[in-house]
């Protein structure tokens, strides 16, 4: 997500795949044994969920020369539409009032779109001219376009991720609160999970999700079901 854009980097695998971390950590270390590199920087895997072994191996390889990049604890909350993410976050915030910075990625995205001349709006219109109305980006038209095509939804996400991630980073850096609660529907797809201390996927039965979405978003049942079809199933979140 931008930290290593200006240098060559080797990946241990997706942040949630601890089996991949275990496999790659030794092969990567052996690779560097045969090179003349002067310094290696490594981002340790998350220790929650089974990453302790790889993290400890990397610490030993570094001679315990480790740096904590952030003093904040970052919890990433994700899940499908209508799964209950917002209700979960509200409950957490009510238990620790005033101590948690809550960031809703959807709210950040929509706020950026509120600027019709903003960089994000203009970039989206370049790829989705059919979402233009009266010279401006019309969200309803955009939704009709992207939720009918998985490929077009992926294109929109690719355009939006960079702007949203930059704004989230800015909000985190400016806050003095020690805990950050990120409500991000596309947490893993965007790569934002890499900065999280821990992640949680909130899922529920399809019937309950449909009821929530119809009540919340004022859309037809067919449009809601089409949205569901373009989103990962429960197994996606359970695996992570």
């Amino acid at each position: 997500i931008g930290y290593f854009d200006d240098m060559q980097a080797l990946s241990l695998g997706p942040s949630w795949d601890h089996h991949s971390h275990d496999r790659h950590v030794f092969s990567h270390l052996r690779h560097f044994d045969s090179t003349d590199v002067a310094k290696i920087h490594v981002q340790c895997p998350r220790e929650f969920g089974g990453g302790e072994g790889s993290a400890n191996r990397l610490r030993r390889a570094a001679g315990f020369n480790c740096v904590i990049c952030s003093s904040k604890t970052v919890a990433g909350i994700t899940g499908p539409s209508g799964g209950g993410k917002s209700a979960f976050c509200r409950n957490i915030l009510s238990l620790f009032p005033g101590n948690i910075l809550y960031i809703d990625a959807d709210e950040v995205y929509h706020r950026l779109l509120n600027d019709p001349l903003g960089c994000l709006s203009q970039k989206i219109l370049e790829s989705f001219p059919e979402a233009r109305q009266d010279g401006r980006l019309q969200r309803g038209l955009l939704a009709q376009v992207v939720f009918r095509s998985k490929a077009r939804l992926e294109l929109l996400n690719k355009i939006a991720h960079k702007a949203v991630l930059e704004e989230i980073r800015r909000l985190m850096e400016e806050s003095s609160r020690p805990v950050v609660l990120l409500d991000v529907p596309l947490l893993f797809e965007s790569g934002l999970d890499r900065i999280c201390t821990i992640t949680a996927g909130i899922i529920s039965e399809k019937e309950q999700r449909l009821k929530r979405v119809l009540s919340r978003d004022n859309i037809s049942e067919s449009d809601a079901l089409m949205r569901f079809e373009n989103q990962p199933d429960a197994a996606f979140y359970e695996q992570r």
Side-chain angles (χ1 to χ4, degrees), residues 83-94 102 183 202 212:
K85 297 184 299 296
S86 297
F88 176 86
C89 290
R90 284 195 299 270
N91 289 335
I92 295 296
L93 293 171
S94 68
Y102 173 64
D183 183 345
I202 310 301
R212 288 172 179 156

Side-chain angles (χ1 to χ4, degrees), residues 1 3 70 72 74-77 101-112 160-175 179-187 190-196:
I1 53 178
Y3 294 135
S70 174
K72 299 182 186 298
V74 182
I77 310 302
L101 171 65
Y102 173 64
I103 301 177
D104 183 335
D106 277 345
E107 187 278 329
V108 171
Y109 169 66
H110 291 141
R111 177 161 50 81
L112 292 175
H161 283 163
K162 183 177 180 180
V164 173
L165 292 178
E166 288 177 352
E167 178 64 8
I168 287 176
R169 287 179 186 170
R170 184 188 68 79
L171 294 172
M172 290 174 56
E173 291 172 358
E174 292 181 355
S175 175
V179 178
V180 181
L181 189 62
L182 297 181
D183 183 345
V184 188
L186 300 178
L187 181 68
S190 67
L192 191 57
D193 63 296
R194 293 184 179 184
I195 67 169
C196 295

Side-chain angles (χ1 to χ4, degrees), residues 3-223:
Y3 294 135
F4 308 112
D5 288 347
D6 59 344
M7 64 185 75
Q8 184 179 7
L10 297 178
S11 173
L12 293 175
S15 65
W16 51 269
D17 190 346
H18 301 302
H19 294 298
S20 175
H21 303 163
D22 292 340
R23 292 194 305 271
H24 285 97
V25 66
F26 292 103
S27 63
H28 287 350
L29 289 174
R30 285 196 299 270
H31 165 76
F32 285 115
D33 285 340
S34 61
T35 68
D36 58 355
V37 295
K39 184 178 293 186
I40 303 171
H41 296 273
V42 180
Q43 179 182 355
C44 268
R46 280 195 303 274
E47 296 186 54
F48 293 94
E52 300 90 343
S54 296
N56 288 333
R57 179 68 183 88
L58 288 169
R59 290 193 185 100
R60 291 195 299 271
F64 296 95
N65 182 16
C66 305
V67 176
I68 298 177
C69 297
S70 174
S71 60
K72 299 182 186 298
T73 297
V74 182
I77 310 302
T78 190
S81 293
K85 297 184 299 296
S86 297
F88 176 86
C89 290
R90 284 195 299 270
N91 289 335
I92 295 296
L93 293 171
S94 68
L95 294 174
F96 305 96
N99 295 322
I100 299 176
L101 171 65
Y102 173 64
I103 301 177
D104 183 335
D106 277 345
E107 187 278 329
V108 171
Y109 169 66
H110 291 141
R111 177 161 50 81
L112 292 175
L113 286 185
N114 280 339
D115 181 1
L117 301 178
C119 182
L120 178 57
S121 296
Q122 296 306 309
K123 287 184 177 180
I124 290 175
L125 283 174
E126 290 175 5
S127 297
F128 300 93
E130 63 269 52
R132 185 189 302 271
Q133 186 177 69
D134 299 327
R136 297 189 175 194
L137 178 66
Q138 212 287 328
R139 294 183 194 171
L141 293 177
L142 180 64
Q144 291 177 20
V145 172
V146 300
F147 284 119
R148 295 179 185 276
S149 168
K150 189 172 184 179
R152 304 213 75 188
L153 179 60
E154 290 175 352
L155 174 59
L156 174 63
N157 290 336
K158 183 178 180 180
I159 296 170
H161 283 163
K162 183 177 180 180
V164 173
L165 292 178
E166 288 177 352
E167 178 64 8
I168 287 176
R169 287 179 186 170
R170 184 188 68 79
L171 294 172
M172 290 174 56
E173 291 172 358
E174 292 181 355
S175 175
S176 61
R177 297 184 180 182
V179 178
V180 181
L181 189 62
L182 297 181
D183 183 345
V184 188
L186 300 178
L187 181 68
F188 297 101
E189 298 91 329
S190 67
L192 191 57
D193 63 296
R194 293 184 179 184
I195 67 169
C196 295
T197 311
I198 190 171
T199 64
I202 310 301
I203 57 178
S204 58
E205 295 296 330
K206 185 176 181 178
E207 292 76 12
Q208 182 62 37
R209 292 172 54 208
L210 181 61
K211 181 179 179 181
R212 288 172 179 156
V213 169
L214 293 178
S215 174
R216 180 190 67 196
D217 295 347
N218 192 29
I219 61 176
S220 68
E221 181 172 333
S222 61
D223 283 344

